[in-house]
Amino acid sequence: MRDDVMDMFDADPTVLHMNSGAFGMVPRSVREAQRRWSDRVEANPVRFFRQECHDELARVRAEVERFLGVGDGSTALVRNVSEGVGVILDAIGLGEGDEVVVSDHGYPTVATAAAVRGAHERIAGFAIDATDDEIVEAFRAQVTERTKLVVIDQITSPTALMLPVKAVVDAVAPVPVYVDAAHASGTLDVDVAGLGAAFWATNLHKWCYTPRGTGALWVAPEYRDAIRSAVTSWTSARGFPASHDFPGTVDFTPMLAILDGLAFWREHGGFEIAARSTDLLRTGSEIVHRQLAMAFPGDMPAYDHGWPARTAPTMRLVPLPDGLIGDAEDAAAVYRAMSDSGVECPPVYFAGRGYIRLGGGLHVDELDYDRCAAALIAALRTVSGY
């Protein structure tokens, strides 16, 4: 990895960190800012929680809205997208017998959140190389008179694809759409309001260098009166978005240090970080593919520079040799073997085939993909007995 970048983090430099899309990497300067907020709280907790906290959080919220390019009063601070999902499902009154449309590329906990409220999921299925029209039709075909919400990922988590969000929103109207944008902030310059969706939620800690437990929930004007915070507390009566600011006595230091994370992101290139990662992943995916093809001759598809066509800026799939990963348990076993060897890069089992989801980032170097490939090949041999 790039030593000049890793010097700004406390991450173990002997580990190859190629999965920042999972839980992010927090710079040392941001952790120090968070500690300063903690010191300020502890100096006078009563005064901070009663007089200072609310104004400080409102200031952070306003800056997050500017970062996202959305209007004032449109966005609440949430701890993560999963919290946002619960708030959304309650706002639309999801209950027994209702239906929610999700895709087979979506994050599983969204469907789980619907199920615990008594709703049923309908799955829009499409291939990794599906066209825009095929993806739109997959969603539209699952909408029925009982559909209460359609959920689409801006960037899919397991397959790292950018989906045609606005086209889907238009196709399923007037059914409201929630856009799961967990991986979008810091990697895509999104016109959030222009998508036409009812709800849009993102995690800031994945690619924006903010502390973990920091995210944002944007809500279209017509739904804001129905939005209730996940925890009823002192600010609940203030209405959206201020009602979300104070879920009781919790550790607010991650939220308060958001601006330091965004400042780090800007200082080190902003969206140029994602552009560099895209270029790096083109090279890295070919390196990993070539190493796999040499290790498992005859079992790899030919390399295609343009596949997947809709790949995300900071993550990219590479197919694994046929048959070496047969199910999700195999993928988990390969991950454990790679992690034990000091390489953090997630294998994926999707639609009957195994993949490796490569990651980019400010800290990643081209040579890292050679090390990743070597660890992957060893793990595949151990798990499959090849």
Side-chain angles (χ1 to χ4, degrees):
M1 294 173 292
R2 294 174 59 187
D3 291 340
D4 59 327
V5 175
M6 289 303 294
D7 282 346
M8 295 184 288
F9 295 82
D10 291 315
D12 186 344
T14 69
V15 173
L16 182 56
H17 304 276
M18 299 193 74
N19 191 14
S20 297
F23 304 106
M25 288 178 64
V26 186
R28 187 177 302 109
S29 61
V30 177
R31 297 183 67 204
E32 289 169 351
Q34 188 176 353
R35 281 192 288 269
R36 288 194 297 272
W37 279 112
S38 181
D39 291 343
R40 178 172 165 183
V41 172
E42 295 308 318
N44 191 339
V46 174
R47 177 180 174 83
F48 185 83
F49 282 104
R50 293 193 62 168
Q51 295 194 47
E52 300 174 2
C53 183
H54 305 286
D55 289 342
E56 294 291 355
L57 289 169
R59 182 175 66 88
V60 171
R61 174 160 40 83
E63 289 296 331
V64 169
E65 287 176 331
R66 280 189 276 276
F67 169 72
L68 296 175
V70 298
D72 294 345
S74 65
T75 306
L77 299 177
V78 291
R79 285 167 288 190
N80 49 51
V81 165
S82 297
E83 179 182 326
V85 169
V87 168
I88 291 166
L89 297 184
D90 291 341
I92 64 172
L94 190 75
E96 199 75 32
D98 292 330
E99 293 179 349
V100 173
V101 176
V102 299
S103 84
D104 56 348
H105 298 248
Y107 199 64
T109 58
V110 176
T112 302
V116 299
R117 289 164 172 82
H120 301 284
E121 63 174 321
R122 292 178 63 87
I123 300 176
F126 50 89
I128 289 173
D129 55 359
T131 65
D132 281 9
D133 288 345
E134 289 169 338
I135 295 171
V136 169
E137 184 53 36
F139 278 96
R140 180 164 41 203
Q142 295 303 319
V143 174
T144 74
E145 68 278 1
R146 296 168 64 187
T147 302
K148 207 70 176 283
L149 185 72
V150 171
V151 180
I152 181 171
D153 294 64
Q154 191 114 52
I155 295 175
T156 63
S157 179
T159 50
L161 304 178
M162 295 184 291
L163 300 186
V165 172
K166 191 174 189 315
V168 170
V169 171
D170 293 343
V172 303
V175 177
V177 174
Y178 157 56
V179 182
D180 185 330
H183 287 275
S185 291
T187 67
L188 295 178
D189 190 3
V190 181
D191 178 6
V192 176
L195 296 173
F199 313 98
W200 185 94
T202 189
N203 288 330
L204 298 171
H205 63 253
K206 288 183 180 291
W207 299 106
C208 295
Y209 302 101
T210 66
R212 291 173 196 88
T214 54
L217 168 63
W218 177 90
V219 178
E222 61 269 30
Y223 289 94
R224 291 173 194 167
D225 287 344
I227 291 288
R228 300 290 181 268
S229 57
V231 177
T232 302
S233 191
W234 292 103
T235 59
S236 296
R238 295 184 180 181
F240 184 86
S243 56
H244 290 254
D245 284 351
F246 197 87
T249 308
V250 299
D251 182 6
F252 289 106
T253 61
M255 294 293 187
L256 295 167
I258 284 176
L259 302 189
D260 298 274
L262 297 182
F264 182 94
W265 175 82
R266 290 189 186 96
E267 181 183 347
H268 291 89
F271 287 116
E272 287 301 314
I273 301 171
R276 176 186 176 275
S277 292
T278 299
D279 292 340
L280 194 61
L281 283 164
R282 290 193 190 102
T283 301
S285 62
E286 186 169 9
I287 289 171
V288 173
H289 186 283
R290 182 172 62 247
Q291 299 271 25
L292 287 168
M294 288 190 294
F296 306 100
D299 297 324
M300 282 287 289
Y303 182 73
D304 181 354
H305 278 282
W307 188 93
R310 56 180 68 253
T311 192
T314 55
M315 303 180 293
R316 183 170 182 150
L317 287 185
V318 173
L320 299 180
D322 291 331
L324 294 193
I325 287 185
D327 53 29
E329 290 185 3
D330 284 349
V334 171
Y335 162 73
R336 288 192 294 271
M338 292 181 69
S339 183
D340 288 345
S341 69
V343 174
E344 293 294 337
C345 191
V348 174
Y349 183 75
F350 180 81
R353 186 178 186 93
Y355 302 86
I356 189 76
R357 193 189 78 183
L358 301 178
L362 187 65
H363 62 290
V364 180
D365 187 83
E366 183 176 310
L367 293 176
D368 295 332
Y369 296 100
D370 278 306
R371 178 180 170 189
C372 179
L376 173 60
I377 290 166
L380 287 170
R381 285 176 171 155
T382 297
V383 172
S384 69
Y386 184 94

